[in-house]
Amino acid sequence: MFRGGNFDRLLEKATSQLLLEPDWDATLQICDSIRQGDVTPKYAIPAIRRKVYDRNPHVSLYALQVLESVVKNCGSPVHQEIAQKEVMEELRDLAKRSPENVRNKVLELIQVWSHAFRNEPSYRVVQDTYQIMKMEGCSFPELRESDAMFAAEKAPEWKDGDVCHRCRVQFGMVQRKHHCRACGQVFCGKCSAKNSIIPKFGIEKEVRVCDSCFEELNKPAASKAAGKTGENDLPPEYLNSPLSQQSQMPPSQKDLELQEREELELAIALSQSEAESKERGPYTNYNNYSSVSAHNSSPPASNSLYNNTSSTASNDDSYEMDPELARYLNRSYW
């Protein structure tokens, strides 16, 4: 059933002069209404063109963005309406008399469409317009990678059916049908409950896709998550140890030279310390010997044999306590 009123309402919402940024929800609903046949391209494209040529530059810019999305997502019926000499002449004239932001958007669209339709003889007028504007000195922006993706692939035509393409459930009053934006097949709500962006079709907002297409579109992110999971499989003892915080990369040549220099300086310091301790050793023992000799040469406090015995016993104990001194005093050892 033709529902132009709903389309006009969505177009007014998507091109409102009060918007601060593009209304992607309304834009995608416009694309849906064209793809589903709610409005024909012969009605939709002239309506969008009227908004493109609005005197308000904000309305004109938002209308150009709607036109870009429609061309990217609605297939050859829309392409046929765009690739008309009248449409190209109007866009060419708009680029000459519009503000800079609108002019840049028009130049971007003409360049992208010329590249996308370069192998389509029926759309030759688009490429001719592009070449004429280049000869007139128009400065076109650089072609982006996302635009090249659009040139390589087109959004698939929507299929129709009475059952879900995956689980084969019958559609009815309760079970509604939905289309996957990536493959175009018809699915039930359970089999198409996920949303994803589709860069290859220029769809930068998350839209409904089936489970299979979701896995295919998000395969790089899944592999990255798998790699992160594998890292968490390490033992907790290793993860909590200081070794896990150290770099696992092999040391550089500069680090090896610095480590060798530090080890050499440490070895020299240890050798000097040992040499100094050996030089101080005999003099220290000699001083100890002198003090001990002076103590032994002093006259006894009494003639008691007990005192002499006690003194000798204490000296013997001191020798036992200091084996290095005893060996130094032992002349037979030398």
Side-chain angles (χ1 to χ4, degrees), residues 35 73-77 154-159 179-180 183-185:
R35 292 173 62 95
N73 293 283
C74 297
S76 57
K154 301 177 182 177
E157 298 290 339
W158 281 9
K159 310 297 190 300
H179 286 89
C180 172
C183 64
Q185 292 289 347

Side-chain angles (χ1 to χ4, degrees), residues 43-298:
Y43 177 88
I45 298 303
I48 298 174
R49 285 169 54 192
R50 286 193 293 271
K51 291 293 184 180
V52 169
Y53 306 132
D54 193 276
R55 293 182 179 180
N56 190 319
H58 297 287
V59 175
S60 180
L61 182 61
Y62 289 135
L64 287 171
Q65 292 173 342
V66 172
L67 183 63
E68 179 185 19
S69 297
V70 168
V71 172
K72 283 184 176 180
N73 293 283
C74 297
S76 57
V78 169
H79 300 167
Q80 293 172 5
E81 296 296 324
I82 289 296
Q84 302 288 337
K85 184 177 181 180
E86 180 185 358
V87 177
M88 291 294 105
E89 289 293 336
E90 289 177 351
L91 290 176
R92 180 183 166 194
D93 182 65
L94 182 66
K96 294 179 180 179
R97 58 180 177 82
S98 297
E100 183 179 1
N101 56 347
V102 177
R103 179 174 64 252
N104 291 338
K105 189 63 178 178
V106 171
L107 294 175
E108 177 189 345
L109 292 181
I110 292 177
Q111 182 187 38
V112 169
W113 295 342
S114 173
H115 186 75
F117 304 146
R118 64 190 183 278
N119 297 322
E120 298 285 345
S122 57
Y123 304 151
R124 184 70 184 179
V125 65
V126 180
Q127 195 167 9
D128 291 343
T129 304
Y130 171 67
Q131 296 297 338
I132 292 173
M133 296 181 70
K134 284 185 66 176
M135 293 175 60
E136 291 176 348
C138 295
S139 178
F140 288 89
E142 184 180 356
L143 191 65
R144 296 177 299 180
E145 184 179 355
S146 59
D147 299 328
M149 289 179 180
F150 157 67
E153 298 188 47
K154 301 177 182 177
E157 298 290 339
W158 281 9
K159 310 297 190 300
D160 196 11
D162 298 328
V163 294
C164 175
H165 183 70
R166 185 177 183 182
C167 67
R168 315 307 294 178
V169 66
Q170 187 80 23
F171 296 127
M173 295 294 294
V174 178
Q175 191 66 255
R176 296 182 57 191
K177 65 171 66 175
H178 303 275
H179 286 89
C180 172
R181 301 292 183 85
C183 64
Q185 292 289 347
V186 61
F187 295 91
C188 65
K190 184 177 180 181
C191 296
S192 60
K194 298 179 179 178
N195 296 326
S196 177
I197 61 174
I198 312 177
K200 63 181 180 179
F201 297 149
I203 300 178
E204 301 175 356
K205 179 179 175 63
E206 291 188 348
V207 292
R208 181 186 292 270
V209 293
C210 64
D211 295 343
S212 301
C213 292
F214 179 84
E215 295 175 1
E216 184 68 23
L217 292 169
N218 295 274
K219 187 177 296 183
S223 61
K224 183 177 179 181
K228 189 174 181 180
T229 304
E231 182 179 341
N232 294 334
D233 291 341
L234 295 172
E237 293 81 3
Y238 171 78
L239 296 175
N240 296 329
S241 66
L243 182 61
S244 64
Q245 306 299 327
Q246 298 178 1
S247 175
Q248 303 300 322
M249 298 295 292
S252 62
Q253 186 68 22
K254 185 177 180 181
D255 295 337
L256 291 175
E257 294 177 357
L258 181 61
Q259 184 178 359
E260 291 178 359
R261 189 181 301 113
E262 291 177 351
E263 292 177 354
L264 180 60
E265 292 176 355
L266 179 61
I268 294 174
L270 290 175
S271 300
Q272 292 178 351
S273 177
E274 290 180 2
E276 292 175 359
S277 63
K278 287 181 179 180
E279 291 176 359
R280 290 196 303 266
Y283 297 104
T284 305
N285 293 337
Y286 178 76
N287 294 333
N288 293 337
Y289 170 69
S290 300
S291 62
V292 172
S293 299
H295 177 73
N296 290 338
S297 61
S298 60

